[in-house]
Amino acid sequence: MTHDAKPVRVLGISGSLRAASHSTTLLRGLRTPPGAELDLWTGLADVQPFNEDHEAEPGPGVLALREAIAGADALLIATPEYNSSLPGQLKNALDWASRPYGEGVLVGKPVAVAGVSPSDYGAEWSQAELRQVLSAIGAQVVERRLCVPRADNAFDPDGVLRDADLRATLAALLDDLAAAARGALTGAGRS
């Protein structure tokens, strides 16, 4: 990265509304690679239920979501797994972000996905569904993924992953995301 280059702006979105969410802990405890900065978006609970009848006049929560995504160079979504699937409020927000169809703020946007769960699988199924939804929307989904299992004991008091292999995978995921964002920015003409 040159001295003139602006840092890659990564928007972190937790798919959980719970105050003590493991997904939010992951986002708060991560360290971005050099040349990247993370902003945690916390407005998920304010996004109204998606209804095509109100698509032309979305509420303030939807407008805030779209503005946050549009202002970011890339997204990192950390999702829990509820009943072997992604949380409804996260899916609802993505439905709003996908509109208008084919022109939503996620089209072409680099997105990385991480899953955090108390189970032994690290929200593997919800990640798969989330990746499918993002691909259908037209996002540029980073291939690498992160599954954080046994989340009740996965983090130290500062919110940093205890397991060195998981920390290495997270660092590689962030590097991949930053590289995808830089590639997208170069293609869009931003330096």
Side-chain angles (χ1 to χ4, degrees):
M1 187 169 116
T2 66
H3 295 300
D4 298 353
K6 295 177 183 173
V8 171
R9 297 172 313 245
V10 178
L11 182 68
I13 298 177
S14 171
S16 178
L17 301 176
R18 191 168 64 91
S21 161
H22 298 305
S23 297
T24 306
T25 298
L26 176 73
L27 293 171
R28 285 191 176 129
L30 66 80
R31 306 297 178 255
T32 56
E37 56 188 30
L38 177 87
D39 290 318
L40 181 59
W41 186 72
T42 58
L44 188 62
D46 299 326
V47 178
Q48 71 198 56
F50 179 73
N51 181 337
E52 279 186 287
D53 291 341
H54 303 287
E55 188 174 345
E57 296 179 6
V62 173
L63 296 175
L65 169 69
R66 288 178 177 169
E67 182 180 333
I69 293 172
D73 299 319
L75 272 69
L76 173 60
I77 301 175
T79 184
E81 187 166 280
Y82 299 155
N83 299 313
S84 302
S85 186
L86 67 154
Q89 188 67 6
L90 177 58
K91 173 63 167 68
N92 177 65
L94 294 174
D95 288 342
W96 274 113
S98 74
R99 301 300 195 176
Y101 180 75
E103 301 173 25
V105 291
L106 284 168
V107 173
K109 186 79 65 173
V111 182
V113 174
V116 187
S117 172
S119 77
D120 289 337
Y121 305 106
E124 189 171 346
W125 290 347
S126 65
Q127 278 192 75
E129 288 188 7
L130 178 54
R131 294 169 67 81
Q132 180 179 351
V133 168
L134 290 165
S135 293
I137 289 171
Q140 178 188 346
V141 183
V142 172
E143 187 173 330
R144 190 181 310 268
R145 63 193 180 98
L146 172 68
C147 295
V148 179
R150 299 175 292 285
D152 292 333
N153 298 310
F155 301 96
D156 70 16
D158 294 324
V160 176
L161 289 167
R162 294 179 195 273
D163 183 274
D165 290 337
L166 288 176
R167 284 194 311 272
T169 301
L170 178 57
L173 177 70
L174 291 169
D175 286 341
D176 291 353
L177 181 60
R182 285 187 195 97
L185 292 170
T186 301
R190 180 183 153 206
S191 58

